[in-house]
Amino acid sequence: MAKNWKSKLHEIIYEADTRAGKLFDVVLLVLILASIALVMLESVDDFAGKHSDFLVTAEWIITILFTLEYFARIISIRKPSQYIFSFYGIIDFLSTIPMYLSFFIVGSQSLIALRALRLMRIFRILKLARYIGESNNIMRALKASRIKIGVFIMFILILCTILGSVMYLIESDKESGFTSIPRSIYWAIVTLTTVGYGDIAPHTPLGQFIASIIMILGYGIIAVPTGIVTAEFATMDKDEIHLNTQSCPSCATEGHHDKAEYCYDCGEILNPEETD
Amino acid sequence: MAKNWKSKLHEIIYEADTRAGKLFDVVLLVLILASIALVMLESVDDFAGKHSDFLVTAEWIITILFTLEYFARIISIRKPSQYIFSFYGIIDFLSTIPMYLSFFIVGSQSLIALRALRLMRIFRILKLARYIGESNNIMRALKASRIKIGVFIMFILILCTILGSVMYLIESDKESGFTSIPRSIYWAIVTLTTVGYGDIAPHTPLGQFIASIIMILGYGIIAVPTGIVTAEFATMDKDEIHLNTQSCPSCATEGHHDKAEYCYDCGEILNPEETD
Amino acid sequence: MAKNWKSKLHEIIYEADTRAGKLFDVVLLVLILASIALVMLESVDDFAGKHSDFLVTAEWIITILFTLEYFARIISIRKPSQYIFSFYGIIDFLSTIPMYLSFFIVGSQSLIALRALRLMRIFRILKLARYIGESNNIMRALKASRIKIGVFIMFILILCTILGSVMYLIESDKESGFTSIPRSIYWAIVTLTTVGYGDIAPHTPLGQFIASIIMILGYGIIAVPTGIVTAEFATMDKDEIHLNTQSCPSCATEGHHDKAEYCYDCGEILNPEETD
Amino acid sequence: MAKNWKSKLHEIIYEADTRAGKLFDVVLLVLILASIALVMLESVDDFAGKHSDFLVTAEWIITILFTLEYFARIISIRKPSQYIFSFYGIIDFLSTIPMYLSFFIVGSQSLIALRALRLMRIFRILKLARYIGESNNIMRALKASRIKIGVFIMFILILCTILGSVMYLIESDKESGFTSIPRSIYWAIVTLTTVGYGDIAPHTPLGQFIASIIMILGYGIIAVPTGIVTAEFATMDKDEIHLNTQSCPSCATEGHHDKAEYCYDCGEILNPEETD
């Protein structure tokens, strides 16, 4: 079956059913992880000082490869705007441009804005979520109980607001760190969630008494989200519909059924499956 | 059907079935959140110093609006005492008066008592609970297991009393902070609930050994409340009776069924439902 | 049916089925809580300094009342040794004698040994456990899963031993506080159980990397005891056999059935139930 | 039935069905715990300084006993390589040699490498796992949910990478300790898992606000692994196949059925069961 190079490129980049498509995905995965490692290393002052040459070279290599990927994605899709303005399209764009911008604002390379932009590359890690099987199951359990969890978080926030305000009254004159209500609420959240940094801690007996109540409350009500999600997992419908990695060559919609021949969103004909 | 202005006002203020009633609820919600934000900002010294004029003006606007709401609630109900001495009635009163009181005790505006009263406004946040759907379900699961949870908390307290006293004996001569039994019990609660501030921590090997036992105990018995609540959630009757937001025009009782025509508490005729 | 004063006294002290027996229990409960409060107050240096007269007087009142209770328990039981050498008998004895001992070792009233003895009174709190209904249910669920929980704790200890030793190697030359393997194991327990005091914390990147792994491990495997206990609660047989508070007048065994006429342990005739 | 000394030795060392085999296991257990206690004591500087003679003597006794055990294991098995290159075989070898090595590198007895090797003995604790009944059940529940837990951990790591990077941007100029992205990710893990050391803590209001969100997230999503494992425990097939402690005299494979006469792995005849 004859296919032009655009549809072949589309199949390689957007899908993972063919050998070339799988290889592309693996290479992209490695590239993303490498780019994230670079951003991390750059933030370590000791390392960035000694190996700045290596970092700049590596940044350029990754930037050029990401640029190629970005244009390939735009070329191979029939309606480029569908990709460009999608969530991943914007992430890809923002994580590619920082090095080019450094030409224009060359005098102030250490600008905080540029550093922030370079950090956008971290969000490429979200693309890994696509490769995680079973995540659908967890997502479905979370989605099914999202209202209950939202209500629970609202309840926690109301509780922390009241408890934080009460603690502010009790401990405000001391050196305990309860200097304002927002800070006291922050402390109440730190305590209720059993994190307990210790940077703010009650010093008066009454404050410690109320803190004890908050802790036991937190220790007790952690059972509530657990109970909600567990019940959801137990009753969750176990059979899943198998979706493949095909993506519409026209509008980039994903999640097509194995036997789908047309895009369920725009009616375009999908790339026919290859047989290995 | 003819309705006088009092019953119309009642329907707007106490119910949320009509468009006007919904609007009133949204406006009140915004007001409550704004008043809480004000109390918080006031407690931040940096902000309160710079913007004291803004804070006083905003306080007065909110106080006047709350005053109007308070009187509207009293006028529109047939038996005002039912509202005035209800839980929310008292909260509304206490969160409205502080600014008026500042006239009478004008020489000592920074009085701690007045600040405490102004803080009462924080409790208006409890009104938000009304807007939280699904909270009934969580409340029912908690209520069904309240005896088991009470027993569990009693057990935790007995355990912490004994462990705290033992640690007081072991660590009392050191600089660890175990200066009295109540403080040691506070530490035991901090440790058992896995909060772990670190302001008090054992320094002797024996103390660290016993602390390790407490931690593993706390890590293990967190399973007990979770098990209780999860079992309750799993067996909980899932079908709920739909209750609407109507409230009796005479005695302000809430929780009427959709088709109720008379108040189940005092027999008064309820406002007939509007059809949108 | 004629009863001598001894069996009447036995019924009052050891049982809670009659009005007098219930009253005795309530008075004893209050006394125990008061004696525990006294021990706590004594340990607070500020309070003990100012109110030493009050403390000594209150101690003597409680000591005399406990002494009367102790002798009444011995007199009213047919085989006193059964009570004297029981767990509660020993606790009662040890929590009664400290004030008498202070006559003999009068020159060194601040002896640490005496203070420790006075602390024994804290253990009287265990008697409260008798008054806690529903605790049987929780105990049964814990007992049913005690082997699984024991295995789990053993697993945690093995894990902490290995991880603590590894961290000792990595961080031992630094100022992080990993000065010996037992201390490193203590740190591993503090971290795995998500307590996190912060008195010992890794400073090297490698140490922080391994610490991160331990934390995620601890965060993940907390699910194991919860899963065990929850499953036990769910499958637990809900019907309980009602046991009353009768206690054998001869050997003090408890847990007799409602209709029991003879002690299941020694065959003695039990006090017949009164009808109110 | 006639048995040569090798097969008798094999039954004693590798199996626990006979009285001699059980005794050997108990002795080995005590030895392992003693050797681990030694390694721990050696790391405590106070103790090691005072009792170095005792430590060296005890080390040699344990080393010689471990050596004997090692050779006995090699001799009594038909294919020694099966044991030598097994996991436990390597652990046994590495935990036995350090004292012998101290002859050769005698001038540098305090070498870090040697200390690390001696630490290998800690891993002998893994052998205790064999004696833990019921661990199979827990392992099976964990194994059945290992993919879900893996996905969950991956999700946590992605979340922590993003949140840590965001916190690095917000807090990087302050004295809060967010000096690099890896360190910020470490902080995000410490916070999300509710460990909360407090060595790194946000100081800016915005940082504290985001930290609060991370804490509530962590508090909420702890429900996910719990839900997964609990559901697994609940549906887990409860009937277990009883496996005995026999081990093949030829290839040391374990996990034979009670009635097995031949090794399921190599077909060798197993030691016939003794009848007590």
Side-chain angles (χ1 to χ4, degrees):
Chain A
M1 188 176 185
K3 283 195 278 183
N4 64 1
W5 65 272
K6 269 199 186 182
S7 79
K8 269 191 185 155
L9 194 63
H10 180 273
E11 195 157 346
I12 291 170
I13 294 180
Y14 286 93
E15 299 174 22
D17 298 321
T18 60
R19 201 160 303 160
K22 271 172 196 155
L23 186 69
F24 177 83
D25 268 18
V26 169
V27 170
L28 185 61
L29 202 77
V30 171
L31 260 183
I32 289 172
L33 289 176
S35 79
I36 289 165
L38 265 187
V39 175
M40 285 186 192
L41 285 173
E42 223 166 313
S43 78
V44 182
D45 289 343
D46 282 4
F47 188 90
K50 286 181 202 153
H51 307 277
S52 63
D53 285 354
F54 164 74
L55 283 175
V56 170
T57 315
E59 283 257 11
W60 272 115
I61 292 170
I62 282 184
T63 298
I64 288 162
L65 289 171
F66 277 179
T67 312
L68 292 176
E69 184 219 344
Y70 188 69
F71 283 113
R73 278 186 189 273
I74 290 175
I75 290 166
S76 68
I77 206 166
R78 256 168 258 183
K79 295 180 187 156
S81 63
Q82 287 271 12
Y83 163 70
I84 292 171
F85 299 107
S86 72
F87 177 70
Y88 286 134
I90 293 165
I91 292 285
D92 286 358
F93 178 74
L94 288 174
S95 61
T96 307
I97 53 163
M99 285 308 276
Y100 297 111
L101 283 179
S102 68
F103 282 125
F104 299 95
I105 43 176
V106 73
S108 51
Q109 199 163 10
S110 64
L111 261 176
I112 189 95
L114 196 67
R115 192 167 59 173
L117 259 181
R118 220 175 277 158
L119 252 168
M120 292 304 292
R121 211 176 287 157
I122 287 279
F123 289 96
R124 281 234 174 184
I125 207 174
L126 288 174
K127 285 202 156 181
L128 302 188
R130 278 196 359 168
Y131 303 99
I132 300 174
E134 289 259 358
S135 66
N136 289 334
N137 256 338
I138 290 178
M139 280 302 155
R140 261 202 292 165
L142 282 179
K143 198 177 265 177
S145 46
R146 74 178 180 284
I147 298 171
K148 285 207 194 75
I149 287 176
V151 168
F152 175 71
I153 286 173
M154 188 69 96
F155 171 71
I156 295 287
L157 287 179
I158 291 177
L159 202 68
C160 286
T161 307
I162 290 172
L163 292 171
S165 305
V166 169
M167 285 301 281
Y168 169 69
L169 266 189
I170 293 170
E171 294 268 340
S172 60
D173 295 338
K174 316 285 159 183
E175 296 289 311
S176 321
F178 294 85
T179 51
S180 70
I181 292 181
R183 229 174 122 78
S184 297
I185 292 171
Y186 165 70
W187 169 86
I189 293 173
V190 168
T191 300
L192 197 82
T193 57
T194 78
V195 171
Y197 284 133
D199 50 348
I200 313 170
H203 290 168
T204 59
L206 184 57
Q208 292 180 343
F209 180 73
I210 289 171
S212 299
I213 292 170
I214 299 177
M215 285 167 215
I216 290 176
L217 261 177
Y219 190 66
I221 61 182
I222 202 170
V224 175
T226 309
I228 293 166
V229 177
T230 304
E232 217 62 59
F233 266 107
T235 63
M236 203 172 68
D237 193 10
K238 299 268 181 185
D239 49 20
E240 298 157 62
I241 303 141
H242 184 69
L243 306 172
N244 61 24
T245 61
Q246 273 198 309
S247 133
C248 173
S250 162
C251 70
T253 307
E254 289 184 344
H256 299 285
H257 286 247
D258 267 349
K259 294 182 179 167
E261 290 183 28
Y262 298 92
C263 172
Y264 65 84
D265 201 36
C266 69
E268 189 67 39
I269 295 169
L270 298 173
N271 288 325
E273 299 285 319
E274 278 186 355
T275 46
D276 293 329
Chain B
M1 188 176 185
K3 284 196 275 184
N4 62 1
W5 65 272
K6 270 197 183 180
S7 79
K8 269 190 184 156
L9 193 64
H10 179 273
E11 196 157 347
I12 290 169
I13 294 179
Y14 285 93
E15 299 175 21
D17 299 322
T18 61
R19 200 160 304 160
K22 272 171 195 156
L23 186 70
F24 177 83
D25 269 16
V26 169
V27 170
L28 187 61
L29 202 77
V30 171
L31 259 184
I32 290 171
L33 290 175
S35 79
I36 290 165
L38 264 188
V39 175
M40 284 186 190
L41 286 174
E42 223 166 314
S43 78
V44 182
D45 288 343
D46 282 3
F47 188 91
K50 285 180 201 153
H51 307 277
S52 64
D53 285 354
F54 163 74
L55 283 175
V56 169
T57 315
E59 283 255 12
W60 272 114
I61 292 168
I62 282 184
T63 298
I64 287 162
L65 289 171
F66 276 0
T67 311
L68 291 176
E69 183 220 345
Y70 188 69
F71 283 113
R73 278 188 190 272
I74 289 176
I75 289 166
S76 67
I77 206 166
R78 255 168 256 183
K79 294 180 187 157
S81 62
Q82 288 271 14
Y83 164 70
I84 293 171
F85 299 108
S86 72
F87 177 70
Y88 285 132
I90 292 164
I91 292 284
D92 286 358
F93 179 74
L94 288 173
S95 61
T96 308
I97 53 163
M99 285 308 276
Y100 297 112
L101 283 178
S102 68
F103 282 125
F104 299 95
I105 42 174
V106 73
S108 51
Q109 200 163 10
S110 63
L111 262 175
I112 189 96
L114 197 68
R115 193 169 60 173
L117 259 180
R118 221 175 275 157
L119 252 167
M120 292 302 295
R121 210 178 287 155
I122 288 280
F123 288 96
R124 281 234 172 184
I125 207 173
L126 288 175
K127 284 203 154 183
L128 302 187
R130 278 197 358 169
Y131 303 99
I132 301 174
E134 289 259 0
S135 66
N136 288 334
N137 257 340
I138 290 179
M139 280 301 154
R140 261 202 291 165
L142 282 180
K143 199 177 264 177
S145 46
R146 74 179 179 284
I147 297 172
K148 285 207 195 73
I149 287 177
V151 168
F152 175 72
I153 287 174
M154 187 70 96
F155 171 70
I156 294 287
L157 287 179
I158 291 177
L159 202 68
C160 286
T161 306
I162 290 172
L163 293 171
S165 306
V166 170
M167 284 300 282
Y168 169 68
L169 266 189
I170 294 170
E171 292 269 341
S172 61
D173 295 338
K174 317 282 161 187
E175 296 290 310
S176 324
F178 294 84
T179 50
S180 69
I181 293 180
R183 229 174 120 81
S184 298
I185 292 171
Y186 166 70
W187 170 85
I189 293 173
V190 168
T191 301
L192 197 82
T193 57
T194 76
V195 171
Y197 284 133
D199 51 348
I200 312 171
H203 290 168
T204 60
L206 184 57
Q208 292 180 343
F209 180 72
I210 289 172
S212 299
I213 292 171
I214 299 178
M215 284 167 216
I216 291 176
L217 260 178
Y219 191 66
I221 61 181
I222 203 170
V224 175
T226 309
I228 293 167
V229 177
T230 304
E232 216 63 58
F233 266 106
T235 64
M236 204 172 66
D237 192 11
K238 298 267 180 184
D239 50 19
E240 299 157 60
I241 303 142
H242 183 69
L243 305 172
N244 62 24
T245 61
Q246 272 198 308
S247 132
C248 173
S250 163
C251 70
T253 309
E254 289 183 344
H256 299 285
H257 286 247
D258 266 348
K259 293 182 181 168
E261 289 183 30
Y262 299 92
C263 172
Y264 65 83
D265 201 36
C266 69
E268 190 67 39
I269 295 169
L270 298 172
N271 289 324
E273 299 284 319
E274 279 188 357
T275 45
D276 292 329
Chain C
M1 187 177 184
K3 283 195 276 187
N4 62 1
W5 65 271
K6 270 197 184 181
S7 79
K8 269 189 183 157
L9 194 63
H10 180 274
E11 195 156 347
I12 290 169
I13 294 178
Y14 285 94
E15 300 174 22
D17 299 321
T18 61
R19 201 159 304 158
K22 272 171 195 157
L23 187 69
F24 177 83
D25 269 18
V26 169
V27 170
L28 187 60
L29 203 77
V30 171
L31 260 183
I32 289 171
L33 291 176
S35 80
I36 289 164
L38 265 187
V39 175
M40 284 186 191
L41 285 174
E42 225 166 312
S43 78
V44 182
D45 289 344
D46 283 5
F47 188 90
K50 285 182 201 150
H51 306 277
S52 64
D53 286 353
F54 164 73
L55 284 175
V56 170
T57 314
E59 283 258 11
W60 272 115
I61 292 169
I62 282 183
T63 298
I64 287 163
L65 289 172
F66 277 0
T67 312
L68 291 177
E69 184 219 345
Y70 188 68
F71 284 113
R73 278 188 189 272
I74 290 176
I75 289 167
S76 67
I77 206 167
R78 255 168 258 184
K79 293 179 188 157
S81 63
Q82 288 270 13
Y83 164 69
I84 292 171
F85 298 108
S86 72
F87 177 71
Y88 285 133
I90 291 164
I91 292 285
D92 286 358
F93 179 72
L94 289 174
S95 62
T96 308
I97 53 163
M99 284 308 276
Y100 298 112
L101 285 178
S102 68
F103 282 125
F104 300 95
I105 43 175
V106 75
S108 52
Q109 201 163 10
S110 63
L111 263 174
I112 188 98
L114 196 67
R115 193 168 60 173
L117 259 180
R118 222 175 274 159
L119 252 168
M120 293 303 293
R121 212 176 285 157
I122 287 279
F123 288 95
R124 282 233 172 185
I125 208 175
L126 289 174
K127 285 202 153 181
L128 302 188
R130 280 196 357 168
Y131 303 100
I132 300 174
E134 288 259 1
S135 66
N136 289 334
N137 257 339
I138 290 179
M139 280 302 154
R140 262 201 292 164
L142 282 179
K143 199 178 264 176
S145 46
R146 73 177 180 286
I147 297 172
K148 284 207 196 75
I149 286 176
V151 168
F152 174 72
I153 287 173
M154 188 69 98
F155 171 70
I156 294 288
L157 287 179
I158 291 176
L159 201 67
C160 286
T161 306
I162 290 172
L163 293 171
S165 306
V166 170
M167 284 301 281
Y168 169 69
L169 267 188
I170 294 169
E171 293 269 341
S172 61
D173 294 337
K174 316 283 159 186
E175 295 291 310
S176 322
F178 295 84
T179 50
S180 70
I181 293 181
R183 227 174 122 80
S184 298
I185 292 172
Y186 164 71
W187 170 84
I189 293 173
V190 168
T191 301
L192 197 82
T193 57
T194 76
V195 171
Y197 284 134
D199 50 349
I200 313 171
H203 290 167
T204 60
L206 184 57
Q208 291 180 343
F209 180 72
I210 289 172
S212 300
I213 292 170
I214 299 178
M215 283 168 219
I216 290 174
L217 260 179
Y219 191 66
I221 61 181
I222 203 170
V224 175
T226 308
I228 293 167
V229 176
T230 304
E232 216 61 59
F233 265 106
T235 64
M236 202 172 69
D237 192 12
K238 297 268 181 184
D239 49 20
E240 299 157 61
I241 303 143
H242 184 68
L243 306 172
N244 60 26
T245 61
Q246 272 197 309
S247 133
C248 173
S250 164
C251 69
T253 310
E254 290 183 344
H256 299 285
H257 287 246
D258 266 349
K259 293 182 180 166
E261 289 183 31
Y262 299 92
C263 172
Y264 65 83
D265 201 36
C266 69
E268 191 66 41
I269 295 169
L270 299 172
N271 288 324
E273 299 283 319
E274 279 188 357
T275 46
D276 294 326
Chain D
M1 186 178 186
K3 284 196 276 185
N4 64 0
W5 66 270
K6 269 198 184 180
S7 80
K8 268 190 186 157
L9 194 62
H10 180 272
E11 195 156 348
I12 289 169
I13 293 178
Y14 285 93
E15 299 175 22
D17 298 321
T18 61
R19 202 159 302 159
K22 272 172 195 155
L23 187 69
F24 177 83
D25 269 18
V26 169
V27 170
L28 187 61
L29 202 77
V30 171
L31 261 182
I32 290 172
L33 290 175
S35 80
I36 290 164
L38 265 187
V39 175
M40 285 186 191
L41 285 173
E42 224 166 313
S43 78
V44 182
D45 289 343
D46 282 3
F47 188 90
K50 286 181 200 153
H51 307 276
S52 63
D53 286 353
F54 163 74
L55 284 174
V56 171
T57 314
E59 284 256 11
W60 272 114
I61 292 170
I62 282 184
T63 299
I64 288 163
L65 289 172
F66 276 0
T67 311
L68 291 177
E69 183 220 345
Y70 188 68
F71 284 114
R73 278 186 189 273
I74 290 175
I75 290 166
S76 67
I77 205 166
R78 255 168 257 182
K79 294 179 188 156
S81 62
Q82 288 271 14
Y83 164 71
I84 291 170
F85 299 107
S86 72
F87 178 69
Y88 285 131
I90 292 163
I91 292 285
D92 287 358
F93 178 74
L94 288 173
S95 61
T96 307
I97 53 163
M99 285 308 276
Y100 298 112
L101 284 178
S102 67
F103 282 126
F104 300 94
I105 43 174
V106 73
S108 52
Q109 200 164 9
S110 63
L111 261 175
I112 190 98
L114 196 67
R115 192 168 60 173
L117 259 181
R118 219 174 278 156
L119 252 168
M120 292 303 292
R121 209 176 288 155
I122 288 279
F123 288 96
R124 280 235 173 184
I125 208 173
L126 288 174
K127 285 203 154 180
L128 302 188
R130 277 196 1 168
Y131 302 100
I132 300 175
E134 289 259 1
S135 65
N136 289 334
N137 256 339
I138 289 178
M139 281 302 155
R140 262 202 290 164
L142 282 179
K143 198 177 265 176
S145 45
R146 73 179 179 286
I147 297 170
K148 284 206 194 77
I149 286 177
V151 168
F152 175 72
I153 287 173
M154 188 68 98
F155 172 70
I156 293 287
L157 288 178
I158 292 176
L159 202 67
C160 286
T161 306
I162 291 172
L163 292 172
S165 307
V166 169
M167 284 302 281
Y168 168 71
L169 266 189
I170 294 169
E171 293 269 340
S172 62
D173 295 338
K174 316 286 159 183
E175 295 291 310
S176 323
F178 294 85
T179 51
S180 70
I181 292 181
R183 226 174 123 80
S184 297
I185 292 171
Y186 165 71
W187 169 85
I189 293 173
V190 168
T191 300
L192 197 81
T193 57
T194 77
V195 171
Y197 284 134
D199 52 348
I200 313 169
H203 290 167
T204 59
L206 184 58
Q208 293 180 342
F209 180 71
I210 289 171
S212 300
I213 292 170
I214 299 178
M215 284 169 216
I216 290 174
L217 261 177
Y219 191 67
I221 62 182
I222 202 171
V224 176
T226 308
I228 293 167
V229 176
T230 303
E232 217 61 60
F233 265 107
T235 64
M236 201 171 70
D237 193 11
K238 298 270 182 183
D239 50 19
E240 298 158 60
I241 303 141
H242 184 68
L243 307 173
N244 61 25
T245 62
Q246 273 197 309
S247 133
C248 174
S250 164
C251 69
T253 309
E254 289 183 346
H256 298 285
H257 287 247
D258 267 347
K259 293 182 182 167
E261 289 183 31
Y262 299 92
C263 173
Y264 66 83
D265 202 37
C266 69
E268 190 66 40
I269 295 170
L270 298 173
N271 288 324
E273 299 283 320
E274 280 188 357
T275 46
D276 294 327

